[in-house]
Amino acid sequence: MADDVRELLLSTTADADPSTPLSAPDLRLLIDRLRLRSDRLHASALSFASSNREPLVSALLRAAASAASSASLQSSLESALSPLSSSPDLSDLRSLSDRLLAARRELRERQEHLAAASSVASLSARLRAARASANPLAAAAAAAELKPLLLDPEGSGSGGDEPIVFGLLRDEWEQLVDELQVGLAKNVEECVEFAPEGGKVVVSAAPRGSSSGACGVELRVALQALEIIDSLDYGMAKTADLMIKHVLIPAISNISVTVSVEVLEQGGPTAPASVLSIVPSEELQGCKDGSVLYSRIIDVIKFVHKFICLENITWMQSFAKLTWSRISDLIITHFLSKAVPIEASKLIEFQDVIRSTTEFENTLKNMMFISPDRMDGKLTQFVENVEVHFAVRKRNEILTKAREIIVQYDYDNPLASDDRGDSVVDLLFQPEKCFVSKSALQLMRLVHGALKDACLSSTRVAKEFCHAARDALLLYKAIVPVQLEKQLGSISQVAAIIHNDFYHLSQETLGLAFEYRADFPSGLQKLVVFVDLAPIFSQMADSVLRRQIQLVAVNLSEAIDGADGFQNTHQSQHYESAKFSIEQVVFILEKIHIMWESILPRSIYRRSMCHVLGPVFSRITKDMLMIDDMAAEETLQLQGLIHLALENLSSLFLSLVENDGDGKFLDHDTWIQLDESVPSLKKFRKLAELLDMSLKSITAAWESGELVNCGFTSSEVRRLPFLFILEWSSANHGP
């Protein structure tokens, strides 16, 4: 209709915009056209009704009849329900309906209970029949049939809503299975008997004697029943264990003795028996490839396959599952591990062992004793990795030997050896020599030997040799500081030797890669690194020496403290204390001089001694300069103490300078070298001169810069006139 009106509008305003508002004449024209259109539609509807009068009348009559029928039904229903709605017994009808529903529900439950009781009775009867059966096969078959009925698919656990009686039936079924397992396993044990002394097994088709609790059936029947109830492994477990203990262990471990396997038939056709015997032989066999050993094992397995498993593949695979892992371990322990070559040059000879081992496992695969995949190929995997086993053995040997070298060396008496000169080695990157322990020398020989073997080996083996060399060096770092903690915690010659050992190892590890890298296998040349160990050993050496210097410094400081600041030395008691203090200092310095000079490299010895001497002379000089109002007698006493220290340390001073061996000491060049090495020594010696100088001379020495060159400060020089004022006045004006 909207479209028609739109057409009428467009027809009246053909040239006008459809969105333009209409004028009054246009609206009147539109109304006229709509009225005309309505008249046409009314005339068309009347024409259709006239032409279809009869179908329309019939449809209207049917609709009226349907409406009348619906009203009649509604009236009948209301009349039928009206007595019920007005009756006082409606509650009785509802109660009767509820009782009817409850009765039907109770009947349904009783039917379910009856069905469950019937099932329980049937299961119980079948269990009793199985338990009462004299035929183990029938009992086993009945137990197997009952298993899915009593056990849920997820396992043997009971459901949370099942009747208790089913749990009782399940317990009874499990008891039946346990009784069958125990009885049948006992039956198998009686059919397969082992001699107490070992090396012999007798297999009978049926138990030869009665035994309480045994089923007394043939071996075949017992194994079939065990297979039916999925207890074959349980039934054969003890037999497999005894076969390992009494037959296979003697057959495998006694490879140095000829062991023969003999199968004998004993008994008549009603009671057949087979005997397997392991008999030692006096003849010696030198077959190194293991073929004789493998032949013995195969004979044993064939005997088991034929007379115990009765050529049944399933039973044989159960026996294999119980024994193969232990058989392979025994072969590896008693034969293959011992056959691994000791020297790399003999690895080629191991190819015969690889061949015979591969043939042995292939034979077992053909017999279906082991699986055809690599899962059970434990022996083949071992021999194929013989290079790794060889390398691991050598690595363990190297580490064991390294540990013995380190632990068993007598560090408490390192200089007692007659061949002490062998322990003096040249440093690799220093033009010096030093004394090292026999332990470090032997350790480096071991490392060099391992790396030389690595140069002649394959990549895998060479890698293990290199790791062994690194680990051997790290063993020294791990063991020695802990083992010698007591010696390293005190001033000792052992500590100096340990320092040299670490220093020597740091130098050696720097050169290992340069020495051997070109000869390593190509795949290993860029992977092997030793240079990272050099800083570790160098730091250990520095740590040991630094600790020794600290201990010496503490002892020297305590010795100087005994002088009580060198005060009042003009008094006898104080002078003796000061003198004893100086003697103690000299003793300690001479002690470390004797210990260190013959042990440490010369450059390290000189540097260490200078570190020790510097604080000593500086402390003594400082204490003497702090004395107030020094008397003339004190100056002489202090001067004498300084000369005492210098004279007693003459040999130590000579060890710190380069000399031509003529024994001169107090020459000018020697003092120049000493003053450069120990600046505080120059100040210490100059103090001895100042104690005997006049104020004028002191002033002249300061103005000339001589005192500054000796290390004196302006504050110290300003104190000098007050220190010596009494002595100066006495010398110039009298008492």
Side-chain angles (χ1 to χ4, degrees):
M1 185 64 184
D3 294 339
D4 293 340
V5 172
R6 193 178 294 111
E7 290 176 0
L8 291 174
L9 290 173
L10 292 176
S11 65
T12 59
T13 59
D15 299 332
D17 186 0
S19 62
T20 305
L22 297 176
S23 62
D26 291 337
L27 290 174
R28 285 193 293 270
L29 180 61
L30 178 61
I31 293 171
D32 293 339
R33 290 186 177 183
L34 289 174
R35 186 180 294 112
L36 181 62
R37 175 68 63 86
S38 175
D39 293 340
R40 289 177 181 174
L41 292 175
H42 186 263
S44 176
L46 290 176
S47 176
F48 178 78
S50 299
S51 61
N52 296 280
R53 179 181 180 80
E54 293 181 359
L56 289 174
V57 171
S58 178
L60 291 174
L61 291 175
R62 288 195 300 272
S66 297
S69 177
S70 298
S72 176
L73 289 174
Q74 181 179 5
S75 176
S76 299
L77 181 61
E78 290 176 353
S79 63
L81 294 175
S82 59
L84 292 176
S85 60
S86 60
S87 175
D89 298 331
L90 179 61
S91 60
D92 296 337
L93 292 176
R94 291 177 178 174
S95 176
L96 180 61
S97 175
D98 293 338
R99 288 198 302 271
L100 179 60
L101 292 175
R104 287 183 177 179
R105 189 161 49 247
E106 183 180 358
L107 177 61
R108 185 168 57 251
E109 291 176 355
R110 289 187 177 185
Q111 288 175 345
E112 292 175 354
H113 292 166
L114 181 61
S118 177
S119 299
V120 170
S122 174
L123 292 173
S124 179
R126 294 171 68 178
L127 279 172
R128 287 195 302 271
R131 187 183 295 276
S133 176
N135 186 352
L137 287 178
E145 292 175 359
L146 291 171
K147 181 178 180 179
L149 301 177
L150 294 173
L151 301 181
D152 58 58
E154 301 297 331
S156 60
S158 60
D161 56 349
E162 71 172 8
I164 298 177
V165 66
F166 277 97
L168 299 176
L169 290 174
R170 184 182 299 107
D171 294 340
E172 188 175 352
W173 175 85
E174 292 175 351
Q175 184 179 1
L176 171 62
V177 173
D178 289 341
E179 291 175 357
L180 284 173
Q181 285 184 144
V182 173
L184 293 171
K186 184 67 175 178
N187 199 106
V188 173
E189 294 171 17
E190 292 184 349
C191 292
V192 184
E193 299 178 323
F194 295 87
E197 65 276 7
K200 184 177 182 180
V201 56
V202 179
V203 181
S204 304
R208 292 186 291 177
S210 61
S211 176
S212 59
C215 296
V217 296
E218 294 183 354
L219 177 61
R220 182 184 298 275
V221 175
L223 293 176
Q224 287 176 348
L226 287 168
E227 182 180 2
I228 292 173
I229 61 175
D230 294 331
S231 299
L232 194 58
D233 293 346
Y234 177 88
M236 299 189 69
K238 187 171 183 179
T239 299
D241 289 338
L242 294 175
M243 183 65 70
I244 292 287
K245 179 179 179 181
H246 294 292
V247 176
L248 288 167
I249 289 180
I252 296 173
S253 62
N254 296 333
I255 58 176
S256 61
V257 181
T258 300
V259 180
S260 62
V261 178
E262 185 178 4
V263 180
L264 303 176
E265 293 291 342
Q266 294 182 353
T270 59
S274 303
V275 180
L276 180 144
S277 302
I278 305 296
V279 183
S281 176
E282 296 180 357
E283 298 179 2
L284 296 178
Q285 296 188 4
C287 190
K288 297 182 179 180
D289 61 354
S291 58
V292 175
L293 170 65
Y294 294 144
S295 176
R296 290 197 301 271
I297 298 174
I298 289 174
D299 288 341
V300 173
I301 293 175
K302 286 181 177 179
F303 177 86
V304 173
H305 178 259
K306 183 176 182 180
F307 298 105
I308 297 180
C309 297
L310 304 173
E311 299 182 345
N312 185 297
I313 297 301
T314 303
W315 303 348
M316 191 63 182
Q317 290 176 347
S318 175
F319 181 85
K321 182 170 63 175
L322 295 169
T323 58
W324 173 241
S325 177
R326 286 179 286 176
I327 292 174
S328 56
D329 289 340
L330 287 170
I331 294 173
I332 291 174
T333 301
H334 293 283
F335 171 61
L336 291 179
S337 61
K338 296 179 180 179
V340 174
I342 300 177
E343 302 296 335
S345 59
K346 296 184 178 181
L347 285 174
I348 298 177
E349 299 177 3
F350 196 76
Q351 295 299 318
D352 294 336
V353 177
I354 297 176
R355 175 187 52 76
S356 61
T357 303
T358 304
E359 293 176 355
F360 171 64
E361 285 198 344
N362 290 336
T363 302
L364 296 182
K365 291 176 183 178
N366 295 333
M367 295 172 61
M368 303 297 291
F369 188 77
I370 60 177
S371 59
D373 55 17
R374 290 183 59 85
M375 183 181 299
D376 289 333
K378 190 174 182 179
L379 302 180
T380 304
Q381 294 175 16
F382 184 91
V383 296
E384 287 177 351
N385 293 326
V386 62
E387 286 189 342
V388 176
H389 300 309
F390 165 76
V392 170
R393 170 189 279 186
K394 294 297 292 184
R395 179 178 181 176
N396 292 336
E397 290 178 356
I398 291 171
L399 294 180
T400 301
K401 191 171 182 180
R403 187 180 183 281
E404 291 176 354
I405 290 173
I406 297 171
V407 173
Q408 297 179 3
Y409 181 71
D410 183 13
Y411 287 95
D412 291 332
N413 199 13
L415 302 179
S417 176
D418 295 334
D419 53 350
R420 184 178 183 277
D422 297 339
S423 297
V424 179
V425 297
D426 293 319
L427 295 175
L428 196 58
F429 294 99
Q430 296 289 341
E432 295 180 311
K433 299 178 181 292
C434 72
F435 179 91
V436 297
S437 67
K438 288 290 193 303
S439 174
L441 289 177
Q442 294 174 5
L443 183 65
M444 283 310 304
R445 292 193 193 103
L446 191 64
V447 169
H448 283 291
L451 296 181
K452 288 177 181 177
D453 289 339
C455 296
L456 304 175
S457 305
S458 63
T459 301
R460 288 197 301 178
V461 178
K463 186 177 180 180
E464 293 295 329
F465 275 121
C466 293
H467 286 167
R470 283 182 59 92
D471 292 344
L473 291 170
L474 292 174
L475 269 180
Y476 190 91
K477 170 184 173 293
I479 294 176
V480 170
V482 177
Q483 182 181 0
L484 303 178
E485 175 61 25
K486 181 179 179 180
Q487 291 88 332
L488 295 178
S490 60
I491 302 174
S492 65
Q493 198 169 46
V494 173
I497 295 175
I498 298 305
H499 162 271
N500 285 0
D501 286 354
F502 281 124
Y503 191 64
H504 173 63
L505 293 177
S506 69
Q507 297 270 308
E508 290 292 319
T509 51
L510 282 174
L512 288 177
F514 298 102
E515 186 174 357
Y516 295 103
R517 178 173 295 169
D519 297 326
F520 283 153
S522 57
L524 203 63
Q525 291 180 354
K526 295 182 179 180
L527 299 178
V528 177
V529 177
F530 288 95
V531 69
D532 61 307
L533 298 180
I536 296 175
F537 289 119
S538 180
Q539 291 173 6
M540 294 293 292
D542 292 342
S543 176
V544 171
L545 186 58
R546 186 164 54 251
R547 187 177 182 184
Q548 288 291 296
I549 293 175
Q550 290 174 353
L551 292 172
V552 171
V554 169
N555 288 355
L556 289 171
S557 178
E558 292 176 353
I560 297 174
D561 290 341
D564 194 20
F566 298 95
Q567 300 279 347
N568 302 318
T569 53
H570 61 288
Q571 299 177 7
S572 176
Q573 182 179 357
H574 290 281
Y575 174 75
E576 292 298 329
S577 297
K579 182 180 179 183
F580 180 76
S581 176
I582 293 295
E583 291 174 347
Q584 284 292 106
V585 169
V586 171
F587 175 78
I588 295 172
L589 292 175
E590 280 296 322
K591 177 181 176 181
I592 62 172
H593 164 221
I594 295 172
M595 284 195 303
W596 289 0
E597 184 180 18
S598 60
I599 301 297
L600 297 177
R602 181 160 182 78
S603 61
I604 295 178
Y605 163 73
R606 294 176 62 182
R607 184 170 65 250
S608 301
M609 286 302 305
C610 290
H611 279 303
V612 171
L613 291 173
V616 171
F617 295 131
S618 178
R619 167 74 185 282
I620 297 175
T621 303
K622 179 180 178 182
D623 287 353
M624 290 184 176
L625 289 175
M626 293 298 294
I627 300 174
D628 294 329
D629 299 334
M630 187 182 301
E633 186 178 354
E634 282 187 88
T635 62
L636 297 178
Q637 298 285 12
L638 293 176
Q639 190 178 43
L641 292 175
I642 294 175
H643 289 309
L644 175 66
L646 295 175
E647 291 173 1
N648 290 334
L649 293 176
S650 59
S651 60
L652 188 154
F653 291 148
L654 278 174
S655 67
L656 298 179
V657 298
E658 300 293 340
N659 57 74
D660 54 6
D662 56 1
K664 292 183 179 180
F665 170 64
L666 295 177
D667 59 341
H668 182 68
D669 294 337
T670 301
W671 283 116
I672 290 177
Q673 294 184 50
L674 288 172
D675 292 341
E676 291 176 354
S677 301
V678 188
S680 61
L681 174 60
K682 186 176 183 180
K683 184 177 181 180
F684 183 69
R685 292 191 302 109
K686 192 62 177 177
L687 178 60
E689 297 179 10
L690 290 176
L691 292 174
D692 197 31
M693 290 174 61
S694 63
L695 179 60
K696 182 177 180 181
S697 300
I698 294 173
T699 303
W702 171 257
E703 292 176 350
S704 65
E706 181 181 357
L707 297 183
V708 175
N709 293 335
C710 292
F712 286 93
T713 63
S714 59
S715 60
E716 292 174 339
V717 173
R718 281 195 295 268
R719 283 181 54 85
L720 289 176
F722 296 98
L723 295 179
F724 309 144
I725 188 64
L726 295 177
E727 186 273 333
W728 181 81
S729 299
S730 175
N732 291 275
H733 304 286

